[in-house]
Amino acid sequence: MKYINKCLTIERVKVQDIAKKFGTPIYCYSYEQLKENIKNFKKRFNSFSPLVCFAVKSNTNISLIREIKKFGLGADVVSVGELMIALKAGIDPKKIVFSGVGKTSSEINYAIDKKILLINAESKSEIKEIERIAKFKKKIISIGIRLNPNTDAKTLKQISTGKKENKFGVDEKTFFDLVNYCSFSKSINLKCLSVHIGSQILDHEPYEKMLKVIDRIIKKSNYQFEFIDLGGGMGISYDNNNKKLNYQKYNIAIKKFLKNHKSRIIFEPGRSIVGNVGSLISKVIYIKENNKKDFIILDVAMNDLMRPALYGANHRTLPSIKKNQISKKVYEFVGPICESTDKFTTLKKFQKLKEKDFVVMCDVGAYGMSLSSNYNVRPKAIEILIKGSKIYVIKKRQKLTDLI
């Protein structure tokens, strides 16, 4: 996304033209950016050829997942709905990993019937339930055990998943007990040690600490795991501060780890694949003047983009057409929902805006549309995919008549 002749464009299409043609709000995805992200991710780790399973929770649009599948990626799913979407998108079941702390019996049943690669279990109760269903079906089921490595990911507390106080995974003692339990089971084939320490991680050091914990625990368990699932969590830059994860150092740490362990690495990236692929176009409904600041009231709201209200996340906001006039007032960008948390960002020295102008929120491809809701009985936005100068509608705008 860049300005060409002062017009913000996504690939070769002007934002202004998109907004006028389809109305707002609009989720737009760039195919070229998606392609580049996947290519770069694979390149960073090509020396040991990991299995890359896209984290479907980050973006559940089936058309986008079909595009991702064409690059050979698998899927990491956390519900039967996500599993169904991944399968319908054409993802090979032998490239699908089912994660999550609360899989129901019917979800486990479905996953077993579809012959997916792994069910990553997170408790003894879950393993027993998998075992019970496997016995009934007279099958041997491949599973992983998710370890909680008690590693601080140095990220937001709301998206930290690898510390001992988090609900995810099992502690070291329980892990050894479960490895022992599985070794005596005739219905379970323990193939994987799984970890995932958090999301939006921009520091390689927590990953290095995590690998040291895994290394020690594998040696102590004296068990040969076919797969080591390192999860995802790789962050992206949301605010142009240029802080980026050092993939080279992470890669070096993994290669050092693999010298001692003959296992295949699994990654579950979501944000790093689709985060900067998506943009959200909206229109200024009203400008509400105030003594200290002006409220820029948009037609996009927290039901469309929940991240700022949920995590205090900040997304770069850009005008669709560049002008020289700068506002003397502070702008607070807000939505029309009846909640004080329905606000996106507060900016000084922003370009002077008028009512009916279009603005774009950047980097919304991950956890944007997938976290959206119908709060205040608001229809979900249209989603489009842009390839060069072509536009494809990949999800129609919801109609009020379908909601009511």
Side-chain angles (χ1 to χ4, degrees), residues 182-207:
C182 290
S183 66
F184 288 101
S185 174
K186 292 177 182 177
S187 303
I188 283 176
N189 184 5
L190 177 58
K191 284 190 172 185
C192 179
L193 183 155
S194 167
V195 288
H196 179 73
I197 59 172
S199 190
Q200 186 49 15
I201 300 168
L202 293 167
D203 186 348
H204 65 278
E205 288 182 357
Y207 286 125

Side-chain angles (χ1 to χ4, degrees), residues 7 59 148 211 216 225 259 262 288 290 300 316 343:
C7 291
N59 194 305
N148 185 319
L211 284 164
R216 177 176 58 78
F225 292 95
K259 283 179 181 176
K262 306 300 178 193
K288 185 177 178 180
N290 190 289
V300 69
R316 283 183 304 127
K343 61 181 180 181

Side-chain angles (χ1 to χ4, degrees), residues 285 296-302 332-339 342-344 378:
I285 307 174
I296 307 299
I297 302 169
L298 304 172
D299 65 356
V300 69
M302 63 187 279
E332 187 164 299
F333 291 81
V334 301
I337 274 179
C338 294
E339 299 279 352
D342 185 28
K343 61 181 180 181
F344 301 104
R378 287 172 55 86

Side-chain angles (χ1 to χ4, degrees), residues 11-109:
E11 295 197 20
R12 295 201 293 276
V13 186
K14 293 177 184 176
V15 163
Q16 198 84 351
D17 293 344
I18 297 168
K20 286 175 180 175
K21 182 173 181 179
F22 295 100
T24 51
I26 313 167
Y27 268 94
C28 302
Y29 304 106
S30 163
Y31 176 79
E32 277 304 314
Q33 189 65 61
L34 178 68
K35 182 178 167 183
E36 186 182 325
N37 290 351
I38 294 172
K39 191 176 80 176
N40 287 341
F41 191 92
K42 284 183 165 183
K43 190 178 176 182
R44 283 164 178 147
F45 303 108
N46 62 6
S47 62
F48 53 85
S49 300
L51 172 59
V52 182
C53 295
F54 173 66
V56 172
K57 65 180 176 286
S58 64
N59 194 305
T60 55
N61 187 288
I62 194 165
S63 297
L64 215 56
I65 296 166
R66 280 196 185 108
E67 297 295 346
I68 289 166
K69 174 251 175 190
K70 290 173 187 175
F71 294 98
L73 271 62
D76 162 55
V77 302
V78 294
S79 71
V80 72
E82 288 186 4
L83 176 52
M84 291 168 84
I85 282 176
L87 291 168
K88 187 152 188 182
I91 303 249
D92 181 351
K94 289 300 173 192
K95 289 183 177 180
I96 296 179
V97 175
F98 196 166
S99 307
V101 297
K103 305 174 200 74
T104 64
S105 300
S106 62
E107 287 181 313
I108 293 166
N109 253 302

Side-chain angles (χ1 to χ4, degrees), residues 145-151 172 175-176 192-197 206-223 225 227-231 250 253-254 257-258 260-261 263 265-266:
I145 299 173
R146 179 165 173 178
L147 171 74
N148 185 319
N150 193 24
T151 302
E172 189 174 324
F175 182 83
F176 294 134
C192 179
L193 183 155
S194 167
V195 288
H196 179 73
I197 59 172
Y207 286 125
E208 289 178 343
K209 287 177 184 174
M210 173 190 80
L211 284 164
K212 284 175 184 173
V213 172
I214 298 169
D215 177 61
R216 177 176 58 78
I217 283 176
I218 293 174
K219 285 172 181 172
K220 199 172 173 182
S221 72
N222 197 29
Y223 192 92
F225 292 95
F227 299 99
I228 303 294
D229 185 342
L230 296 178
Y250 188 21
I254 295 170
F257 169 85
L258 288 173
N260 299 318
H261 307 285
S263 304
I265 298 294
I266 298 174

Side-chain angles (χ1 to χ4, degrees), residues 276-290:
N276 65 351
V277 166
S279 307
L280 182 55
I281 306 172
S282 66
K283 184 167 72 174
V284 178
I285 307 174
Y286 301 118
I287 297 176
K288 185 177 178 180
E289 294 185 1
N290 190 289

Side-chain angles (χ1 to χ4, degrees), residues 146 148 151-168 196-201 271 307 309-313:
R146 179 165 173 178
N148 185 319
T151 302
D152 186 356
K154 298 181 182 178
T155 185
L156 292 171
K157 67 177 182 179
Q158 299 98 319
I159 49 178
S160 171
T161 60
K163 294 169 76 176
K164 64 182 178 182
E165 61 263 32
N166 300 135
K167 68 179 180 181
F168 301 97
H196 179 73
I197 59 172
S199 190
Q200 186 49 15
I201 300 168
R271 191 189 313 269
R307 293 189 72 254
L310 191 61
Y311 307 130

